[in-house]
Amino acid sequence: EYQVVIGNDTTHYIIDDLEPASNYTFYIVAYMPMGASQMSDHVTQNTLEDVPLRPPEISLTSRSPTDILISWLPIPAKYRRGQVVLYRLSFRLSTENSIQVLELPGTTHEYLLEGLKPDSVYLVRITAATRVGLGESSVWTSHRTPKATSVKAPKSPELHLEPLNCTTISVRWQQDVEDTAAIQGYKLYYKEEGQQENGPIFLDTKDLLYTLSGLARI
């Protein structure tokens, strides 16, 4: 709780430096030499939204030589600054300047780009938006699609992430039922934004779930 002392000739006061899209409760007490009055009724007010303070961190994988699966975690609440209503994905070939843009609902956390060129480097970035507008775009993240060969290689699993608490994430994946390639196991990699990559964690073919714990708090 924060308290502000106001002179007796003041009938209004501006409180700033509050968090966007947050509920604040206010009350007032009158003071005199004999003591203080009872507190007034509590009044709750919600501050307005702002644009997201930072974009989501994206992960790129390929399930075939012609696609890229883009996935991302929700922005933490203190950086979201409101309800995310839209994600804007931008992508292009590294050898071209033409940018393609897709807009997805704010409830979406992955998207499969299809019809791409094999053995080619693509650049992808994402921007989140609240009702106020778009935040800052992420940096361009590069990914090379696999080579198209006659050898039957397995497709990349479809990856799903679920935060369990502030230091634990459940990682779940599912192999395409139509994929007939012989899978010998899985390698799991992960990293904190801006830090070095961790892994690989070697997993058996029957393992389709792994829990990452002891992660850094936001």
Side-chain angles (χ1 to χ4, degrees), residues 58-78:
I58 61 175
S59 174
L60 307 177
T61 58
S62 286
R63 301 166 60 180
S64 77
T66 59
D67 66 37
I68 297 176
L69 179 64
I70 308 169
S71 56
W72 59 93
L73 287 173
I75 303 173
K78 70 176 182 177

Side-chain angles (χ1 to χ4, degrees), residues 10 42 58 88 105 108 114 116 121 125 129 131 157 175 194 196:
T10 303
H42 287 61
I58 61 175
R88 178 176 290 176
T108 308
E114 298 181 282
L116 306 179
V121 176
R125 69 182 179 188
R131 294 181 182 90
Q175 200 67 34
Q196 289 187 340

Side-chain angles (χ1 to χ4, degrees), residues 6 29 36 60 64 69 71 76 88 100-101 104 123 136 164 167 170-171 176 180 182 186 188 204 207-208 211 215 217:
I6 306 171
V29 175
L60 307 177
S64 77
L69 179 64
S71 56
R88 178 176 290 176
Q100 299 185 59
V101 177
L104 306 172
L123 302 177
E136 185 177 347
L164 300 181
T167 60
S170 174
V171 184
D176 191 332
T180 58
Y186 299 99
L188 177 63
D204 196 74
D207 295 326
L208 299 175
T211 300
L215 304 177
R217 297 171 183 263

Side-chain angles (χ1 to χ4, degrees), residues 23-89:
N23 286 322
Y24 286 88
T25 300
F26 301 83
Y27 67 88
I28 193 167
V29 175
Y31 286 90
M32 58 181 298
M34 299 295 294
S37 71
Q38 293 183 343
M39 67 178 62
S40 67
D41 292 338
H42 287 61
V43 177
T44 300
Q45 178 64 50
N46 184 264
T47 54
L48 299 178
E49 293 185 348
D50 202 348
V51 298
L53 195 58
R54 76 179 195 187
E57 183 179 358
I58 61 175
S59 174
L60 307 177
T61 58
S62 286
R63 301 166 60 180
S64 77
T66 59
D67 66 37
I68 297 176
L69 179 64
I70 308 169
S71 56
W72 59 93
L73 287 173
I75 303 173
K78 70 176 182 177
Y79 301 115
R80 193 162 56 237
R81 305 207 293 188
Q83 180 183 353
V84 174
V85 296
L86 177 145
Y87 291 106
R88 178 176 290 176
L89 286 175

